[in-house]
Amino acid sequence: MAANPSPSSRATLQVGKRKYTYFSLPALEQRGIGRMQRLPYSIRVLLEQALRNVDGYVVTEADVRNIASFGPSTAGQVEIPFLPGRVVLQDFTGVPCVVDLAAMRAAMKRLGGDPGRINPLVPCDLVIDHSVQVDSFASKDALDENLEIEFERNQERYEFLKWGQQSLTNFRAVPPGMGIVHQVNLEHLASVVLEKTDGAETIVYPDSVVGTDSHTTMINGLGVLGWGVGGIEAEAVMLGQPTYMLLPEVVGMRLQGRLPEGATATDLVLTITQVLRKHGVVNKFVEFFGDGALAMGLADRATIANMAPEYGATMGFFPVDEEVCQYLQRTGRPQPLVDLVRAYYQAQGMWWTDKAPLPEYSATLTLDLRTVVPSLAGPKRPQDRVPLTELQKDFRQSLSKDPKQRGFGLSPDQIGAVAAVADDSGASLQHGSVVIAAITSCTNTSNPSVMLAAGLLAQKAAARGLTRRSWVKTSLAPGSRVVTDYLKKANLLPALEQIGFHVVGYGCTTCIGNSGPLPQPVADAVRAGNLVAAAVLSGNRNFEGRINPDVKANYLASPPLVVAYALAGTVDIDLQKDPLGIGRDGAPVYLRQLWPTSQEIAAAMQRSMSPQAFQREYGAIDQGPPQWRKITAKKSDLFAFDQDSTYVQEPPFFLQMSRQPGSITGIRGARALLLLGDSVTTDHISPAGNIKKDSPAGRYLQEHGVAPKDFNSYGARRGNDRVMTRGTFANIRLRNLLVDVEGGVTRHLPSNEQMSVYDAAQRYQRERTPLCVIAGKEYGTGSSRDWAAKGTFLLGVRFVLAESYERIHRSNLVGMGVLPLQFVDGSNAQALGITGNEIFDVALGDEVQPRQRLELGVTDPHDGHRRTIAVQCRIDTPVEVDYYRNGGILQTVLRKLLATPAAAGNGQVGATAGKATKAVARKATTGAKKTAARKPAAPRRSAKTPAARKAAPKQAPRSKAGGTARPKAAARPAAKTRATKSAGGKPGRAGGRAGKPAGKPAGKPGKKR
Ligand code: SF4
């Protein structure tokens, strides 16, 4: 590319009285770069963001050219940076992100800077939706009671998040009890076009987002490119850093025709999931096109986009068209925004119509919507669709099928089991008894047609005198308060309540497994009969154990089918032939008599929905319920971490940080903490589930006065590094080849004593021995989990040596300052005769280059024989070298800010003077909230000397054991307090720097940081 294409691509757009600047893709094409009409629409969004952000360092001209030349030679081959416009968080994964921001503020203060300058750089919204559980149900009081219990359980976390809501700028927290993150994003947060000011200009660009929940993909139904990422990537994006990805292949899926009468969007998405799983779309984009896609309503598109993780794609995209604008109007977005969206996408050649040329996709599939039939998916996987007509047969077969084939492996004598429910109902349960029927999950609660269909079915059933069976735990958990509004206006909420579907909360509930306990007599009967009890839910995931520990068969279904199965009380029924029940007139009532027609649904929608309802419900969404308003968190620059909290603690990442980074140096004398095989997942590394009583984390909690019944999960305690570090490599299924037992156990060397991974790591830290992990193929596979990298670092692991890495986990390791190394030439530990008993040295210097070959010294401790093997450094880019030198992404950003005068920082992390961004919708609907420029002051491209290092000491003191020398430690009052807390025989902090126990002077052991 001859010159930076960015400046010459600037163009202006007049909409009404306002003039905007945008980075024009047609102008880029005129310069001979890319043929826009052949690019998939989703790729055009990636191209625009690269074009707009070219700086020759984070985004290069080659990145623009690579994206513009999307095709077989580049898709799936080249890595590109992605700088999304927004971040959305849910509370489980959002808490650690906010904890890190609070810790950065504390570090800023210690280092003499202004802590108030630490804020997200791109607009960030956290929706507190993952913590509500269905404890109370089928009662008018269910909503209030569940909310009350939720606040009791989560008081500490919520106090912390309320501090964030009040004290951070460019950050909003949607309080508990208001809605589900993706539905709130769809109905309110997303603006489709974002804008920022740049001097006198207002720059507009496509809305795009990453979120810390895998179903962030739902927003692609609105033409907003986005998907779920791990916490570290989300934090990086929040702080203006890119996330990296391979330019994806794009599978085009043609949807043709219309859904037949009786089929719902849920049936369609279950069909699409099955088709795309079969084709294989992992790590690919899917883009929908065809007359069926164009004619489809936006809510149906969102339902399809939601389940991208289930069909395996990075995301499933519907481009921006007139329906998007209509939806923005229907949901009460302001008219100037709607006009801007239409004008912008038309000007960019990104406007989707039936006349637009068909892009060239990597592969193309076709689905005729007329073939879709009412369906469920299960009993164990979302891609196992079963037509409603086949469900009874399929369920019966699954009872005796081998568990390896997703059956339940019952013997013939177990098939007829019956167990009485010990309450006054006189009921008895059998295999297939439905014990949970849940209208849940943003997948469906965001779709008025299926929610109203459920209400209409309930109304007809109630009119015939039917109600839920006594053993069915029924729940209705809308994804926003707008749903209740339209169900009330359509006069359908009373009917739903009449058959047991009272609102239980506005949050994720059963979708995330927060279904709450079954009534004791029901649970007792299920256990006594060893029954394969069933759940029917309108969610998107149904792996065994996810929904409820007492429920083995989990079926995903549309909301009206959820209601139908609550009435029937069993999945062992043929709903085509068998009645749901007997009406009050003594006559059998069949599903076909209750199923609403499309005209009835359309009429209900017509009379119940209005833009004003969205404006009203979202107008005060920041206020939350009374319990939230009662929390008295003070606005302050610094969060007052409570040393006694077992949920939120200041992580030690910045406790010894100096203003300048040290040099990168080698690692000497390392021991293997673990020797692992292939496909070690992030869940092996950092489990999210239960905390065992006798595990290091369980012991820690008990020592701090938490009874085992109140342990909660690792997922809920991600704001406390003490718990999470103790939980790292604590998965009971971990197979460490240094020992003969399964679980979080290892062998300390050279003592050969067997102990927990955490205890061994502590002992190595006292001995000032750096650590490494040796692994096989696909290390860190599974969903991205920030604590898998954070916990690894805090245990004192300085490098990981693996045959291959899951892409995001590798980058997370670098983001936490852990060096990823890779075996070369197809070799591995076994082939090289590495047993894990050796002592390791990594020859590494400040001149290290991305993907450089390095020498790993391997010394036999018995005879002292030392040999060297070649390994590849998997720091992959100059930007990552900078992260590594700084000790991680967060430290890099913090130092940049410290090096930038406050006035130039514009009050935000890494902000460039004079720039400010804002989401158009945010300004227009909820009042302007000042945001900052999203682009950090770019460091120099050189991998070896970032600008911030100019003032660094020439040579930081080199440690005895090797590794990156530590710069002089900053004053650390917080560290002192905490070191005191962990003294006296208590397990010491896992944190701090490798080889240096908490409270000891810094700078001794040779580690990075
Ligand atoms: S409802 Fe389900 S899919 Fe939606 S955000 Fe909650 S857990 Fe994720």
Side-chain angles (χ1 to χ4, degrees):
M1 195 176 294
N4 184 346
S6 182
S8 56
S9 300
R10 286 171 96 102
T12 54
L13 178 69
Q14 184 86 33
V15 185
K17 290 187 179 149
R18 291 197 67 190
K19 198 167 164 188
Y20 301 94
T21 299
Y22 69 102
F23 287 79
S24 167
L25 298 186
L28 188 68
E29 185 171 18
Q30 278 168 17
R31 294 192 54 222
I33 300 169
R35 282 192 297 130
M36 297 310 148
Q37 298 297 315
R38 61 165 278 284
L39 292 181
Y41 290 87
S42 47
I43 297 299
R44 292 179 222 179
V45 180
L46 289 179
L47 180 58
E48 190 282 340
Q49 63 88 33
L51 180 64
R52 180 164 35 87
N53 288 298
V54 169
D55 62 358
Y57 180 70
V58 172
V59 183
T60 65
E61 295 157 28
D63 293 325
V64 173
R65 186 180 286 280
N66 281 337
I67 300 171
S69 60
F70 167 86
S73 64
T74 52
Q77 310 291 323
V78 297
E79 191 166 69
I80 58 162
F82 178 43
L83 287 143
R86 293 186 294 122
V87 176
V88 292
L89 310 167
Q90 39 95 334
D91 54 302
F92 262 31
T93 47
V95 166
C97 292
V98 183
V99 166
D100 286 348
L101 287 175
M104 285 176 79
R105 282 189 161 199
M108 189 77 169
K109 172 88 175 163
R110 285 195 294 274
L111 293 167
D114 173 8
R117 294 176 66 199
I118 302 283
N119 292 295
L121 185 60
V122 302
C124 180
D125 293 286
L126 185 150
V127 180
I128 305 170
D129 62 357
H130 269 51
S131 299
V132 59
Q133 178 174 300
V134 187
D135 289 290
S136 179
F137 68 100
S139 142
K140 279 267 185 213
D141 300 324
L143 175 62
D144 288 342
E145 288 174 4
N146 289 327
L147 204 55
E148 207 57 54
I149 299 169
E150 179 189 350
F151 272 83
E152 265 170 45
R153 282 194 186 120
N154 295 284
Q155 189 69 19
E156 283 181 39
R157 295 165 72 233
Y158 289 178
E159 282 170 6
F160 174 67
L161 290 175
K162 184 129 188 204
W163 169 82
Q165 186 192 41
Q166 298 190 345
S167 306
L168 298 171
T169 55
N170 219 20
F171 172 87
R172 291 193 309 185
V174 174
M178 304 312 286
I180 298 175
V181 57
H182 308 310
Q183 187 162 342
V184 173
N185 194 18
L186 184 73
E187 293 178 348
H188 178 62
L189 300 174
S191 56
V192 188
V193 168
L194 294 171
E195 68 175 63
K196 69 178 176 184
T197 55
D198 184 5
E201 289 180 302
T202 300
I203 297 184
V204 285
Y205 50 100
D207 189 359
S208 60
V209 65
V210 288
T212 54
D213 185 279
S214 50
H215 294 94
T216 303
T217 53
M218 191 159 94
I219 206 61
N220 294 283
L222 192 65
V224 174
L225 192 68
W227 52 85
V229 295
I232 293 174
E233 297 96 309
E235 285 181 34
V237 172
M238 275 163 74
L239 298 172
Q241 304 296 303
T243 173
Y244 291 92
M245 61 190 289
L246 287 178
L247 180 66
E249 292 179 39
V250 183
V251 174
M253 186 168 205
R254 183 195 310 271
L255 303 180
Q256 62 188 34
R258 303 283 185 277
L259 285 178
E261 185 67 30
T264 65
T266 322
D267 304 320
L268 172 58
V269 74
L270 295 180
T271 307
I272 286 174
T273 299
Q274 190 181 38
V275 172
L276 288 177
R277 266 286 166 193
K278 203 164 156 204
H279 179 80
V281 290
V282 172
N283 289 331
K284 297 174 187 172
F285 283 3
V286 172
E287 196 166 289
F288 296 95
F289 67 100
D291 64 297
L294 258 169
M296 190 177 286
L298 200 125
D300 289 1
R301 296 178 185 180
T303 297
I304 293 168
N306 176 285
M307 285 187 70
E310 280 66 44
Y311 44 80
T314 303
M315 61 93 212
F317 193 75
F318 289 84
V320 175
D321 67 347
E322 188 54 35
E323 170 60 12
V324 168
C325 290
Q326 298 292 325
Y327 181 81
L328 292 175
Q329 277 173 326
R330 292 199 296 272
T331 48
R333 266 77 162 221
Q335 190 59 43
L337 170 68
V338 180
D339 295 340
L340 174 61
V341 167
R342 194 180 283 111
Y344 174 79
Y345 280 85
Q346 287 177 348
Q348 280 286 42
M350 294 164 74
W351 183 251
W352 182 34
T353 68
D354 58 351
K355 306 275 185 310
L358 190 63
E360 290 175 16
Y361 294 113
S362 310
T364 305
L365 300 170
T366 297
L367 176 69
D368 186 340
L369 301 186
R370 287 164 294 208
T371 63
V372 174
V373 294
S375 303
L376 296 89
K380 296 188 180 187
R381 300 192 312 180
Q383 63 263 44
D384 296 330
R385 186 184 66 86
V386 189
L388 178 63
T389 49
E390 302 290 313
L391 190 80
Q392 182 180 41
K393 192 170 97 194
D394 193 84
F395 173 73
R396 287 182 174 178
Q397 285 171 352
S398 74
L399 288 176
S400 52
K401 231 195 245 174
D402 192 318
K404 285 189 194 129
Q405 296 169 309
R406 293 176 294 284
F408 298 102
L410 298 187
S411 58
D413 60 312
Q414 293 174 306
I415 296 287
V418 179
V421 181
D423 59 13
D424 53 12
S425 69
S428 55
L429 305 185
Q430 300 166 355
H431 296 304
S433 290
V434 172
V435 293
I436 289 178
I439 299 177
T440 182
S441 182
C442 54
T443 313
N444 283 293
T445 62
S446 59
N447 193 327
S449 68
V450 288
M451 296 301 283
L452 289 164
L456 288 164
L457 198 150
Q459 193 176 49
K460 294 183 188 189
R464 294 292 305 272
L466 297 191
T467 188
R468 73 177 174 104
R469 300 293 173 142
S470 61
W471 55 87
V472 187
K473 183 171 184 177
T474 41
S475 59
L476 166 60
S480 79
R481 293 194 173 240
V482 175
V483 177
T484 323
D485 185 277
Y486 68 66
L487 285 174
K488 275 185 190 158
K489 282 215 181 84
N491 198 28
L492 297 174
L493 196 61
L496 282 161
E497 290 176 347
Q498 218 173 316
I499 60 167
F501 284 92
H502 295 75
V503 173
V504 293
Y506 294 90
C508 302
T509 66
T510 304
C511 185
I512 193 69
N514 289 351
S515 55
L518 296 178
Q520 200 56 49
V522 175
D524 290 344
V526 170
R527 289 172 206 164
N530 196 16
L531 297 176
V532 178
V536 182
L537 65 146
S538 62
N540 48 37
R541 285 194 169 163
N542 52 350
F543 310 115
E544 193 166 343
R546 178 179 172 99
I547 302 305
N548 187 287
D550 289 314
V551 181
K552 290 186 183 151
N554 298 294
Y555 287 98
L556 308 179
S558 65
L561 277 181
V562 171
V563 174
Y565 278 101
L567 301 172
T570 179
V571 293
D572 190 5
I573 184 173
D574 183 348
L575 289 184
Q576 300 293 110
K577 290 199 278 204
D578 303 329
L580 290 165
I582 304 299
R584 71 167 63 85
D585 57 2
V589 181
Y590 294 92
L591 179 62
R592 58 181 173 275
Q593 297 171 317
L594 307 185
W595 199 261
T597 64
S598 51
Q599 287 90 341
E600 288 171 321
I601 296 168
M605 215 179 292
Q606 185 70 33
R607 68 176 185 270
S608 64
M609 299 195 67
S610 71
Q612 290 74 26
F614 286 88
Q615 287 166 348
R616 189 174 55 248
E617 295 298 341
Y618 282 110
I621 194 168
D622 298 352
Q623 301 300 307
Q627 294 92 332
W628 180 261
R629 295 199 291 273
K630 262 192 243 157
I631 295 176
T632 52
K634 281 209 187 100
K635 182 175 176 184
S636 60
D637 279 351
L638 295 179
F639 178 71
F641 285 102
D642 176 358
Q643 296 297 313
D644 295 326
S645 171
T646 57
Y647 275 100
V648 177
Q649 284 293 337
E650 182 182 1
F653 306 130
F654 314 105
L655 290 182
Q656 297 167 35
M657 190 180 154
S658 63
R659 291 181 75 101
Q660 307 296 339
S663 305
I664 297 172
T665 62
I667 300 167
R668 291 204 291 273
R671 287 286 191 172
L673 182 62
L674 300 126
L675 178 67
L676 303 168
D678 294 342
S679 301
V680 168
T681 68
T682 48
D683 201 62
H684 286 119
I685 304 170
S686 182
N690 291 342
I691 300 170
K692 279 178 69 183
K693 192 177 158 192
D694 57 354
S695 66
R699 290 199 300 271
Y700 165 85
L701 287 171
Q702 287 170 87
E703 283 164 12
H704 286 77
V706 182
K709 72 174 175 46
D710 298 322
F711 274 4
N712 220 325
S713 62
Y714 283 112
R717 292 195 180 267
R718 286 175 184 160
N720 185 345
D721 62 280
R722 283 93 158 148
V723 174
M724 298 309 292
T725 307
R726 286 166 172 82
T728 306
F729 295 110
N731 190 309
I732 53 170
R733 296 276 167 253
L734 184 74
R735 188 76 190 88
N736 174 17
L737 302 175
L738 289 177
V739 291
D740 291 330
V741 294
E742 239 183 16
V745 177
T746 194
R747 185 160 47 89
H748 171 266
L749 294 165
S751 71
N752 280 322
E753 287 174 39
Q754 197 162 298
M755 60 186 76
S756 76
V757 171
Y758 175 77
D759 289 341
Q762 286 296 291
R763 186 156 161 189
Y764 282 124
Q765 288 204 17
R766 287 193 295 275
E767 295 164 356
R768 306 194 169 186
T769 303
L771 298 174
C772 66
V773 170
I774 300 171
K777 296 188 181 79
E778 298 175 341
Y779 182 70
T781 197
S783 48
S784 170
R785 191 165 291 168
D786 58 339
W787 271 104
K790 287 176 172 171
T792 298
F793 167 73
L794 289 180
L795 284 177
V797 173
R798 291 299 163 255
F799 72 91
V800 176
L801 173 61
E803 286 181 66
S804 64
Y805 290 89
E806 192 281 331
R807 192 176 56 79
I808 294 175
H809 185 62
R810 182 208 62 78
S811 90
N812 282 349
L813 288 173
V814 180
M816 286 310 302
V818 177
L819 177 67
L821 299 175
Q822 191 163 322
F823 290 104
V824 295
D825 304 328
S827 195
N828 56 37
Q830 199 183 13
L832 292 166
I834 293 174
T835 63
N837 294 315
E838 300 86 347
I839 298 168
F840 301 93
D841 305 303
V842 184
L844 190 69
D846 204 42
E847 307 298 318
V848 66
Q849 296 298 311
R851 291 185 174 250
Q852 187 184 339
R853 285 225 171 173
L854 300 172
E855 274 189 356
L856 177 75
V858 182
T859 303
D860 185 324
H862 300 300
D863 59 13
H865 173 71
R866 186 177 190 275
R867 57 186 166 132
T868 57
I869 61 171
V871 293
Q872 188 178 32
C873 171
R874 286 301 312 274
I875 297 175
D876 283 0
T877 64
V879 177
E880 286 189 346
V881 174
D882 206 18
Y883 291 162
Y884 184 68
R885 178 179 290 108
N886 275 278
I889 291 176
L890 304 181
Q891 291 83 349
T892 307
V893 174
L894 193 48
R895 288 199 176 101
K896 275 182 200 165
L897 186 56
L898 277 163
T900 315
N906 200 22
Q908 306 291 337
V909 171
T912 304
K915 293 187 178 183
T917 62
K918 54 186 173 285
V920 176
R922 174 170 303 181
K923 186 181 74 170
T925 58
T926 58
K929 184 157 188 172
K930 198 172 179 195
T931 64
R934 56 187 299 285
K935 199 165 189 45
R940 294 210 310 245
R941 173 98 187 179
S942 162
K944 73 176 191 185
T945 316
R949 291 182 57 237
K950 273 186 178 170
K954 271 244 168 0
Q955 184 69 57
R958 192 167 287 258
S959 73
K960 199 171 163 192
T964 301
R966 289 175 199 296
K968 196 167 170 239
R972 43 193 298 269
K976 193 176 170 204
T977 314
R978 294 203 299 176
T980 308
K981 288 282 291 182
S982 59
K986 296 266 165 61
R989 289 185 50 69
R993 312 305 188 236
K996 187 189 68 55
K1000 294 279 169 63
K1004 275 287 180 195
K1007 296 290 164 299
K1008 183 141 175 49
R1009 296 198 279 186

